[in-house]
Amino acid sequence: MTLLRPVLGIVGSTALYYLMRQAGVSVYAALVVGAVLSLVPACLAMLRGHRPSGLEAFFTVLLFASFAISLLPGDERFLLAKDALVTGGVGFWFLASLWWAERPLAYQFARPMVEGRLGWPRDWEGLWQREPWFRRMWRTSSTLWATGTLLDAVARVVMAYTLPADAVPGLNLAMYLATAVVLNVVTAVVYVRAGAVGRARRGRATTG
């Protein structure tokens, strides 16, 4: 449920784009209206006192960034490519976290969701301090997410400026899913190979 509002915003704005195009609205206007609609679920939740955190906050920031980019001057091709600025920004954020944050971004996102759950160990801070493999694993994961999202951004620019305009919003939506699935699978392999997943169960079995 955490990501339901941002996901509804993204899917709803894409659906509205195609409905407006069927009604004869221009590409530019349909993109701007869709960007506004994408904020509605998150804005309603915040007006009711909900404050997003973790991954929900991350994706909510992306939606607001996408809307802000829609307000910049440019033609319809620029608007079609705006998601590339967002995913590219995410890629640079992952990269920057490797040098300027206390912990890599992948670590920060994963910890609230899986620490001590689903076979993951507890005491991540202790592991970070003691275990080189644990630090290396999260740095590798963050590097992969940075690489993947930057490549995603490049692909979105190419699509926006080479494909028919009406094909791009649907493909942009599909790319969010494809990029997330591929990167989650690849980084899951990294976690398994590092021995992190299942470590909690193995520790209990040894103790017993």
Side-chain angles (χ1 to χ4, degrees):
M1 295 298 289
T2 299
L3 297 180
L4 181 60
R5 279 178 286 268
V7 169
L8 283 177
I10 294 170
V11 173
S13 65
T14 304
L16 180 62
Y17 170 85
Y18 287 110
L19 288 173
M20 294 182 71
R21 290 291 290 143
Q22 286 292 322
V25 177
S26 70
V27 171
Y28 190 91
L31 288 169
V32 172
V33 172
V36 173
L37 178 71
S38 68
L39 297 178
V40 170
C43 288
L44 289 175
M46 286 188 284
L47 287 173
R48 292 171 183 157
H50 174 73
R51 293 294 177 265
S53 60
L55 278 177
E56 183 184 7
F58 176 71
F59 282 104
T60 300
V61 168
L62 291 187
L63 288 177
F64 276 95
S66 179
F67 171 70
I69 292 167
S70 299
L71 301 180
L72 297 175
D75 59 13
E76 65 184 37
R77 291 292 174 176
F78 174 79
L79 281 185
L80 288 169
K82 67 181 173 62
D83 285 1
L85 297 178
V86 175
T87 56
V90 172
F92 283 114
W93 189 3
F94 271 100
L95 277 181
S97 73
L98 294 171
W99 289 281
W100 293 300
E102 290 186 2
R103 302 289 183 268
L105 202 55
Y107 173 103
Q108 296 180 46
F109 284 154
R111 187 181 180 191
M113 294 187 294
V114 298
E115 183 179 18
R117 306 184 187 100
L118 304 175
W120 284 81
R122 300 181 183 276
D123 188 25
W124 282 24
E125 282 302 300
L127 285 170
W128 180 271
Q129 297 296 332
R130 298 189 306 269
E131 302 289 352
W133 68 265
F134 193 73
R135 296 191 294 271
R136 183 169 58 252
M137 180 184 75
W138 290 113
R139 289 179 179 131
T140 299
S141 176
S142 292
T143 301
L144 289 170
W145 274 92
T147 303
T149 49
L150 289 171
L151 290 174
D152 174 286
V154 172
R156 289 176 193 273
V157 172
V158 172
M159 289 192 313
Y161 284 93
T162 60
L163 297 180
D166 285 334
V168 177
L171 289 173
N172 272 333
L173 179 61
M175 279 193 65
Y176 278 117
L177 177 61
T179 299
V181 169
V182 170
L183 287 174
N184 273 293
V185 169
V186 171
T187 52
V189 172
V190 171
Y191 304 145
V192 171
R193 288 174 64 94
V197 181
R199 184 172 289 262
R201 286 193 292 268
R202 291 194 299 272
R204 285 195 295 269
T206 301
T207 303

